[in-house]
Structures are given as structure tokens and as C-alpha cells.
Amino acid sequence: MKVLLLVFAIVAAVSAQTEPWCRCAAFVTYEYNEMMVYEAPQIIIDSCQDDAGQCKTACVTELNTLSNNGDLWLVQENGDTVGQSICSFLANYNINWIVNHRVYGYFEVCGGPWEYAEFASQQLLCCDAGEHDHCIVRE
């Protein structure tokens, strides 16, 4: 009986393990918090221990492809700009005004901490009543 329980425990432990994975997302950064505004589909990587570089590279490729290298004014297939998609997403959470915020890319390996992917939007993001708008930068 003990052997049978040991076999079941080993089978359960092996089946509970999943493939190593990576998350990739874009965030708007505020002074004291971050708001995820886009999450890419999960990326399969080779290892949870050694593949932060693989995850980061795949994440930057995904975000660059989605936005033409961080261009918030890129018009997507649905007719909205990348920035409008972000403004609409934020408006769903009653965040209707954003002034002069950059959008940054981050990645996460196998549930670890989010790390900066060295991706940033080309322009600052401004949303006026949920509508993507040109930013006026005052110095």
C-alpha cells in the first residue's frame, strides 16, 4: 500500500509540473504604481532558471511587432491607434485622463518578478476623456 501511495505521489508531482513559461506585458508607470495595459500571449521558454534572456527577447519582439517599435500612433487593423487601444482599456477602469506617460514593456519568467524589457514607447501617452490625444510637453 505504501508503495502504491508513493507511486501516486510521484505521478502527481510529475504531472503538476508545466512547461517553463514567460509573460510579457506593457505598463503605464505612475509615481507609486503601475497599470498593465496589454498582456501578450504566454511564451514557452526552455528553462525557468536560465532563460530570462530568451523571455526578454521574445517579449521585446512581440511588443515591437505589435506597435511598430513603440509607435503609439500606429493604426491597427481595427482602425484604432495603439494609443487609442490603451486609452480605451484604461477608460474601462475609469482612468480617462493620462498626461505625458511613457508605456514600458516588462517580462516575467515562470512567476518570478517583473523585469524591465528595455522597451519604451516612442511617444508619451496622453488620453483626454478616454481619447488618444497629442501630448503637449511643457518644460
Side-chain angles (χ1 to χ4, degrees):
M1 183 68 163
K2 289 182 182 180
V3 172
L4 186 58
L5 288 175
L6 180 60
V7 169
F8 282 131
I10 291 171
V11 169
V14 169
S15 64
Q17 295 176 351
T18 60
E19 293 182 83
W21 52 273
C22 163
R23 289 175 70 191
C24 174
F27 290 82
V28 172
T29 301
Y30 297 92
E31 187 174 353
Y32 297 108
N33 64 5
E34 310 258 347
M35 177 81 175
M36 184 186 296
V37 294
Y38 168 78
E39 184 167 8
Q42 183 173 296
I43 301 164
I44 303 299
I45 56 175
D46 296 331
S47 164
C48 287
Q49 283 70 37
D50 302 321
D51 283 326
Q54 183 184 17
C55 179
K56 177 181 175 181
T57 299
C59 181
V60 169
T61 299
E62 168 74 18
L63 295 174
N64 280 332
T65 300
L66 175 74
S67 66
N68 191 29
N69 301 314
D71 182 3
L72 297 179
W73 289 100
L74 174 70
V75 178
Q76 302 170 326
E77 289 180 12
N78 66 4
D80 288 342
T81 64
V82 170
Q84 182 57 55
S85 294
I86 295 170
C87 290
S88 295
F89 175 84
L90 291 169
N92 287 334
Y93 292 92
N94 294 319
I95 301 170
N96 294 299
W97 285 272
I98 304 291
V99 179
N100 298 335
H101 283 276
R102 194 133 340 246
V103 179
Y104 295 102
Y106 290 87
F107 67 96
E108 173 191 58
V109 177
C110 300
W114 285 101
E115 298 180 53
Y116 179 53
E118 296 182 31
F119 171 89
S121 60
Q122 294 176 25
Q123 304 89 6
L124 296 173
L125 177 68
C126 287
C127 305
D128 183 2
E131 297 296 319
H132 185 211
D133 199 5
H134 289 278
C135 296
I136 299 172
V137 182
R138 297 178 192 198
E139 296 182 49

